[in-house]
Amino acid sequence: IRDRSIIIPVYNVEKFIDRCINSCLNQKNVNIKDYEIIIIDDGSPDCSGEMAEFILKDIPNSTIIHQENQGLSGARNTGINASKGDYIWFVDSDDWISANALECIFKAITENDYPDVIMIRAISENSYGKTELRHNNWADRIELQSGIDVFISGDWLICAQFFIVRKQLLERNNIRFMRGIFHEDNEYTPRILYFAKSVVRINEILYHSFVNTESITHSINPKRAFDLIKVCDSLSNFTIQHKINGILLDKFNDFISLSLNNAFSLILPQDKIIKNNFNKELSKHPEIFKILRKSTLSKYRMEGFIFLCFKNYIAVYSLLLKFKSCQSIINQLRKLI
């Protein structure tokens, strides 16, 4: 078993990069020779790349790759391709990890016969020191599970940072992040869980997610909504390609439906031209409406059937937000005819 790899994509984070990298270096009871740190300077316009070079200049098992901007997906893919470790952990450059994180992870790997995926709990923190737990307590979920069982349970979060993944799983199943999109984790995480034969949960807070209001995650960008359509389309094709059925297909349908609803919520504040373009783009993906109609949740099923009759999807979605009863919705929809 070779080194484990921490992959840190870097872009415009000179305020935070020192904290992130040093949290990965200052690990209790773990030798730096037992893991590698890979920094991907994704064409950062600030001094993030140079700061990373300075911090890691005398650190063995560290690599810094400078590349033209390819977005978070492209940076992570570069890190995967460059990694030498048997396990990969993505750490965002404005976040940090607990001092005992690697000790706990390495122990979980060896004690559970090298599982495909290790899931960790996380906490969100902001610049005012406020915190919020990201995961449920897993004290009763200490047994190994298949990734499919985890996916069906619903007790997981989308963020790739909360999963340490065996590189062999990524290579064997040709898994990489979808290039050039936001919400790449929505498309990536369900696929790693589908292929994972063994998943272990660590019931300890090992990851600290910083709520950075300047990050792309919190930006109001209409591209995020359009990219979620791509995610829905990709996951739909994935279920067809792998002939997924039964309760697992139900869960995929619900997840795809949720992702589409998130797209609607992102597009609602936009102007009329962008909304019209969103309606046109969504109309090119009728298979998504079929998925809505197959959802286990009545809200999504209703959307799926109504979208068949009314092509102004955003107007319909807005009405669905305002009116709870079916009759109220029907009465309001008649006014659109």
Side-chain angles (χ1 to χ4, degrees), residues 30 34 36 57 66 159 179 185 190 204 237 245 255 308:
V30 175
D34 293 331
E36 65 174 352
K57 63 180 180 179
H66 301 278
C159 302
R179 293 280 298 273
D185 292 357
E204 191 165 345
N237 290 335
N245 54 35
F255 183 79
L308 282 175

Side-chain angles (χ1 to χ4, degrees), residues 10-27:
V10 169
Y11 185 83
N12 221 23
V13 286
E14 59 184 19
K15 296 178 183 177
F16 313 109
I17 187 66
D18 179 77
R19 177 179 64 187
C20 177
I21 294 177
N22 279 308
S23 76
C24 297
L25 292 174
N26 299 325
Q27 288 292 301

Side-chain angles (χ1 to χ4, degrees), residues 39-260:
I39 303 290
I40 310 298
D41 174 16
D42 193 39
S44 184
D46 67 359
C47 297
S48 299
E50 291 83 352
M51 292 178 68
E53 292 267 12
F54 178 79
I55 297 168
L56 294 173
K57 63 180 180 179
D58 297 320
I59 303 299
N61 273 18
S62 65
T63 303
I64 300 179
I65 299 173
H66 301 278
Q67 66 180 29
E68 292 185 5
N69 183 258
Q70 297 180 27
L72 182 58
S73 296
R76 284 175 172 173
N77 289 342
T78 297
I80 294 172
N81 295 337
S83 65
K84 300 175 183 177
D86 57 323
Y87 284 88
I88 289 173
W89 188 10
F90 301 104
V91 175
D92 280 358
S93 49
D94 49 1
D95 299 337
W96 66 98
I97 64 175
S98 299
N100 65 331
L102 294 183
E103 180 183 18
C104 291
I105 291 166
F106 291 0
K107 182 180 179 182
I109 289 172
T110 55
E111 289 185 350
N112 290 279
D113 196 23
Y114 302 94
D116 286 332
V117 172
I118 299 94
M119 291 174 59
I120 60 170
R121 296 174 70 206
I123 194 167
S124 289
E125 305 191 25
N126 62 29
S127 54
Y128 302 103
K130 295 180 180 178
T131 61
E132 179 182 354
L133 286 175
R134 299 292 298 272
H135 293 83
N136 295 327
N137 189 303
W138 289 339
D140 297 328
R141 289 185 178 273
I142 57 174
E143 77 286 354
L144 277 172
Q145 291 181 286
S146 70
I148 288 176
D149 286 340
V150 171
F151 186 85
I152 289 173
S153 76
D155 192 8
W156 55 278
L157 294 182
I158 295 167
C159 302
Q161 309 94 286
F162 306 155
F163 299 84
I164 294 86
V165 183
R166 199 167 192 177
K167 186 176 181 180
Q168 185 182 83
L169 181 146
L170 301 179
E171 301 289 53
R172 185 173 59 236
N173 299 292
N174 195 29
I175 295 176
R176 293 294 187 271
F177 290 89
M178 182 182 282
R179 293 280 298 273
I181 67 166
F182 296 126
H183 300 288
E184 59 282 315
D185 292 357
N186 292 54
E187 197 267 347
Y188 164 86
T189 301
R191 291 188 293 133
I192 64 165
L193 288 177
Y194 175 79
F195 288 115
K197 292 182 171 59
S198 53
V199 178
V200 62
R201 302 172 191 255
I202 298 177
N203 190 38
E204 191 165 345
I205 303 296
L206 300 183
Y207 194 93
H208 301 259
S209 180
F210 181 62
V211 182
N212 178 12
T213 55
E214 298 176 4
S215 73
I216 58 173
T217 307
H218 295 88
S219 62
I220 302 175
N221 188 337
K223 185 179 184 301
R224 295 173 61 196
F226 287 87
D227 286 348
L228 279 169
I229 296 177
K230 295 179 181 179
V231 169
C232 293
D233 187 53
S234 176
L235 291 179
S236 172
N237 290 335
F238 183 81
T239 64
I240 295 170
Q241 176 188 354
H242 295 281
K243 300 178 181 179
I244 295 173
N245 54 35
I247 188 172
L248 179 59
L249 180 59
D250 290 340
K251 294 298 182 180
F252 263 95
N253 289 341
D254 289 347
F255 183 79
I256 294 169
S257 299
L258 173 63
S259 296
L260 180 61

